[in-house]
Amino acid sequence: MKKWISPALLIITFLLSALGHFLGWNFTLQFILSAISVIFVAGFLGKATESVAHYAGQRLGGFLNATFGNAAELIIAILLVQQGLFDMVKASITGSIIGNLLLVLGLSLFAGGLKFKVQKYNVSLAGLNGSLMVLGIIALFIPAVFLNTHSITESDTKFLSLVVAGILIFAYLAWLLFSMVTHKNYLADVSHKDEELPHEHGPQWSKGRSILYLVIATVMVALVSEWLVGVLEPVSEEYGLSELFVGAFVVAIVGNAAEHSAAIMLAMKNKIGAAVEIAVGSSLQIALFVAPVLVFVSYFSGNTMDIVFTTIELVAIGVAVFIAKSITQDGETNWYEGLMLLAVYVILGVSFYLV
Amino acid sequence: MKKWISPALLIITFLLSALGHFLGWNFTLQFILSAISVIFVAGFLGKATESVAHYAGQRLGGFLNATFGNAAELIIAILLVQQGLFDMVKASITGSIIGNLLLVLGLSLFAGGLKFKVQKYNVSLAGLNGSLMVLGIIALFIPAVFLNTHSITESDTKFLSLVVAGILIFAYLAWLLFSMVTHKNYLADVSHKDEELPHEHGPQWSKGRSILYLVIATVMVALVSEWLVGVLEPVSEEYGLSELFVGAFVVAIVGNAAEHSAAIMLAMKNKIGAAVEIAVGSSLQIALFVAPVLVFVSYFSGNTMDIVFTTIELVAIGVAVFIAKSITQDGETNWYEGLMLLAVYVILGVSFYLV
Amino acid sequence: MKKWISPALLIITFLLSALGHFLGWNFTLQFILSAISVIFVAGFLGKATESVAHYAGQRLGGFLNATFGNAAELIIAILLVQQGLFDMVKASITGSIIGNLLLVLGLSLFAGGLKFKVQKYNVSLAGLNGSLMVLGIIALFIPAVFLNTHSITESDTKFLSLVVAGILIFAYLAWLLFSMVTHKNYLADVSHKDEELPHEHGPQWSKGRSILYLVIATVMVALVSEWLVGVLEPVSEEYGLSELFVGAFVVAIVGNAAEHSAAIMLAMKNKIGAAVEIAVGSSLQIALFVAPVLVFVSYFSGNTMDIVFTTIELVAIGVAVFIAKSITQDGETNWYEGLMLLAVYVILGVSFYLV
């Protein structure tokens, strides 16, 4: 592919998608245009992230990518919370967590595993990631159990939700302190040194330009995602899909397009540490930061959203955490492990589709 | 024991058991005769498997043993499916999974651990086996949760069962590709080289004779198992045992007699890798291959069996997977770990007996 | 702090607490006096344990501490069982397990982790501890599931409880045989040798005096604990706390004061192996030995207590086991892992407070 094609297609599809949105074209056409556009802006974001990751190190790069990727989701979710659409918010949080842990991680391990027999990354990080996942699922699980067994009242549940949300945000900030400051080297990429040497091709862009492109790409992804999400309801109605399925699968897949492309690209370059950081880090960020922030946003908006998910949402998140933890905890990955994650994703997808 | 005693006893008990079956002797007598016979044919199968394993390597040998062992169960289950006895089929699938993971594995680790302080096997294989177990339990768990929370209808459950069954069969075939082709060496036995040297006694039979004996022994096991299973109902009625207990414990123990003897024998010769492969591999084969195949068999017979197990069956499988995974994941075993598995098996056995 | 202050305060606060108890002072005053006293007697017990641990080795010392710490709890629980206060007993068992796994272990890892970047202990022991935790939770879980799904009757549940209790006591005795006799060295502390050398300060007391002090300290802890527990009901009524919260949190925290101080002190001296042994070992002792013994005590008292815990108690124990296992299984600890355990403890504490 010639060098100029990609930027051209990026801009053309973005403008077409924008035109479709602002001129109010046919919904299905808008959907198709923005879906095509999202592929290119996500690719652009993936490239920018990779370039920044080159300067910042795999883990910080992965963290940046996860954060920029989730920024779009956070903004969309805040809009939904302020409209009181709590079920839609929870469905998309569910979808985002399982989408990252099963689809993004699964595709990364699978694609990376086809090129490299075994890919390794820091086993201490793998263990801590696993424990953080467990913390996240426990925090979502406890209020639901206490409410469903009638152990506490509904109004107490809102108070408990705020407490749990506060603890999760505190735990997330402490995690940043731990992983970026006090134990940075402890969690460093195993193969860091080896990979530095055989630099097939250095980064395309300078440090400053990489950061600028990262910001621009994130904004573009956020815009296109929003246009796409905007037409999801009429389109899903037309094709007879349930709100839960759309929230948990369609929105989540589209909203995580950036993470998808970046993680897979990195995995195929044997930077599996960064790929895992994007996929797992992104889902942790949603469980430990985005979801709790939404609880507080709803509280300050005067209509507190509790943190109680439905049974099938909890089961979906629970099984995703359980298998992702089982697969990642040894710090070694291969194509079959990716396949197992994808198998669980398909099973969940079909189940939610049938609801 | 003199060399000729064992073959003589094998043939005599087999013939007596056959006579009892075809001449329609007293049920309790038939039960006793075939139960005694099964010990000898299982011992014969164990010896043949060990001999084949010598030529084929521990893991392939273990896989062959698991497959030959499950062939009998598959045939019996297909007969039950065609008679529409779905509850009995699910009870025996449950019993087979927990019997392999708790009883066979437990006895192997315990017996092997009494002779050897610590036994080691490939830790990557242990991790992948654990993840496959998790995949299996998730696949059985999801449809049950969606049906029990009324999230999907009963007819949709049958469709979902077919999808899940298809995914599991695909995952199992991919696992064979992975473990036998693309990552064969990665999963090889740790102590392979060391054990090759101090050959106390080489295999008794030639390669061709070993394979022939393996086939003959499997057929004998299948026949005796069937005769035994045939009298279980009248005998269990006479002694007041529930169908669930008989299906999940008596049938499973008898049906897995071959795996039992082979796995324990291998563990006591420090071939713990092959013993684990038989016990865990056999339960994985049942969850990922036998159970899904039965769903398709029922579909093509015109009366689709769903893949929804009862709560107590799921709990039994779930706890068996949970503790077996916890115990096997470090690739090291000892007698106490065997004891823990047996403790859980006894707890489950008493619980099912009381139902 | 001058050397004579601590013994003086120990004796003065103990005597004041005794006076308050026997002279029947105001309940709130009794509570405050015995709560202050418990800090000093627990500190004394911690010091004595550490001294004994020096002579006996980290693991045996940890075991002694866990046993002496639980002796007080066992005596109190037996008194409650004989009065038929089964719910209170189960609440305090629950609280003791989660208190040890989350609060004591959490504070130890956190405090130790602030002083030492990474603390390591025997990874095989970590794995076995994890599997024992799983065995414990399974044993509590199975009877509850079979009873709640109406699979077995209430009277059968009592029989099942006795069977499960017998199996657990057998498993616990076998564990002592395994860990103290057959596999003592296999589970030895990793850093044993290294720590022996740079003896900053040897033990303060001789071997005989250490053991004597350990016994005296344990008796003092038991007495003060009882006085404190004695006024808990009136005090908790006055301040409007539920019985479940008091049983599971207040009683458990006070009753485990000895383990708390000893474990944290050891962790801060980098003897993390002993600290984990106290925290995890103590909770295992309660699940596998104290709880089953109580079932038998109730049986011989003529009013059998079943082993069926409420759903929220099981969930609390389950999540505590799940995250503690996830965090400890790699044999490496740091401050953030301690923080995660404490986060789960706070979430559970607030939830139980709201009941």
Side-chain angles (χ1 to χ4, degrees), chain C residues 198-348:
Chain C
H199 250 329
E200 303 126 46
H201 42 80
Q204 210 173 327
W205 306 314
S206 70
K207 193 172 176 179
R209 182 173 286 243
S210 302
I211 294 170
L212 178 70
Y213 280 180
L214 184 61
V215 174
I216 293 175
T218 305
V219 172
M220 288 173 84
V221 166
L223 286 172
V224 180
S225 301
E226 216 190 309
W227 302 336
L228 187 51
V229 169
V231 296
L232 278 177
E233 211 181 298
V235 170
S236 62
E237 249 170 48
E238 201 175 318
Y239 298 97
L241 301 168
S242 79
E243 196 174 279
L244 183 68
F245 179 75
V246 172
F249 285 80
V250 183
V251 172
I253 290 175
V254 171
N256 289 314
E259 286 100 320
H260 290 215
S261 60
I264 295 164
M265 221 176 277
L266 288 162
M268 290 182 72
K269 296 190 175 178
N270 210 16
K271 301 194 173 183
I272 197 73
V276 170
E277 185 59 27
I278 290 175
V280 177
S282 184
S283 67
L284 288 175
Q285 206 172 54
I286 287 167
L288 304 183
F289 188 73
V290 173
V293 161
L294 293 173
V295 172
F296 278 103
V297 167
S298 70
Y299 173 71
F300 290 118
S301 307
N303 180 14
T304 309
M305 177 179 82
D306 63 37
I307 210 165
V308 176
F309 285 65
T310 65
T311 304
I312 58 173
E313 286 170 343
L314 281 176
V315 165
I317 299 174
V319 301
V321 164
F322 200 33
I323 191 144
K325 184 172 148 57
S326 174
I327 279 174
T328 57
Q329 73 188 357
D330 63 354
E332 283 188 15
T333 69
N334 55 58
W335 68 263
Y336 191 72
E337 294 187 327
L339 198 77
M340 282 195 278
L341 293 171
L342 295 172
V344 174
Y345 193 67
V346 174
I347 292 174
L348 285 175

Side-chain angles (χ1 to χ4, degrees), chain C residues 52-324:
Chain C
V52 170
H54 174 80
Y55 295 106
Q58 279 193 44
R59 290 202 61 251
L60 184 56
F63 169 71
L64 287 175
N65 183 282
T67 304
F68 277 81
N70 285 333
E73 280 163 290
L74 183 58
I75 293 163
I76 295 172
I78 287 176
L79 295 172
L80 293 173
V81 162
Q82 289 180 330
Q83 293 170 42
L85 299 173
F86 296 159
D87 288 348
M88 188 62 136
V89 171
K90 287 175 189 169
S92 77
I93 288 173
T94 304
S96 214
I97 294 173
I98 66 175
N100 276 294
L101 285 184
L102 300 176
L103 183 62
V104 179
L105 188 59
L107 283 174
S108 300
L109 302 195
F110 185 73
L114 289 184
K115 272 190 81 173
F116 303 93
K117 194 163 185 183
V118 179
Q119 298 187 296
K120 299 192 184 194
Y121 64 104
N122 188 301
V123 72
S124 298
L125 176 62
L128 280 162
N129 272 341
S131 296
L132 276 163
M133 286 185 219
V134 172
L135 176 60
I137 187 76
I138 287 174
L140 298 181
F141 192 60
I142 297 284
V145 169
F146 275 76
L147 180 64
N148 288 332
T149 56
H150 305 291
S151 300
I152 61 176
T153 63
E154 271 191 60
S155 61
D156 277 353
T157 306
K158 294 197 174 176
F159 173 71
L160 181 58
S161 297
L162 284 166
V163 172
V164 168
I167 292 170
L168 288 181
I169 291 173
F170 175 75
Y172 186 70
L173 296 177
W175 169 245
L176 294 185
L177 177 68
F178 177 86
S179 62
M180 304 286 175
V181 183
T182 73
H183 285 62
K184 198 179 166 185
N185 293 328
Y186 175 62
L187 302 179
D189 319 310
V190 259
S191 49
H192 197 256
K193 285 158 219 151
D194 314 85
E195 273 169 65
E196 221 66 72
L197 293 172
H199 250 329
E200 303 126 46
H201 42 80
Q204 210 173 327
W205 306 314
S206 70
K207 193 172 176 179
R209 182 173 286 243
S210 302
I211 294 170
L212 178 70
Y213 280 180
L214 184 61
V215 174
I216 293 175
T218 305
V219 172
M220 288 173 84
V221 166
L223 286 172
V224 180
S225 301
E226 216 190 309
W227 302 336
L228 187 51
V229 169
V231 296
L232 278 177
E233 211 181 298
V235 170
S236 62
E237 249 170 48
E238 201 175 318
Y239 298 97
L241 301 168
S242 79
E243 196 174 279
L244 183 68
F245 179 75
V246 172
F249 285 80
V250 183
V251 172
I253 290 175
V254 171
N256 289 314
E259 286 100 320
H260 290 215
S261 60
I264 295 164
M265 221 176 277
L266 288 162
M268 290 182 72
K269 296 190 175 178
N270 210 16
K271 301 194 173 183
I272 197 73
V276 170
E277 185 59 27
I278 290 175
V280 177
S282 184
S283 67
L284 288 175
Q285 206 172 54
I286 287 167
L288 304 183
F289 188 73
V290 173
V293 161
L294 293 173
V295 172
F296 278 103
V297 167
S298 70
Y299 173 71
F300 290 118
S301 307
N303 180 14
T304 309
M305 177 179 82
D306 63 37
I307 210 165
V308 176
F309 285 65
T310 65
T311 304
I312 58 173
E313 286 170 343
L314 281 176
V315 165
I317 299 174
V319 301
V321 164
F322 200 33
I323 191 144

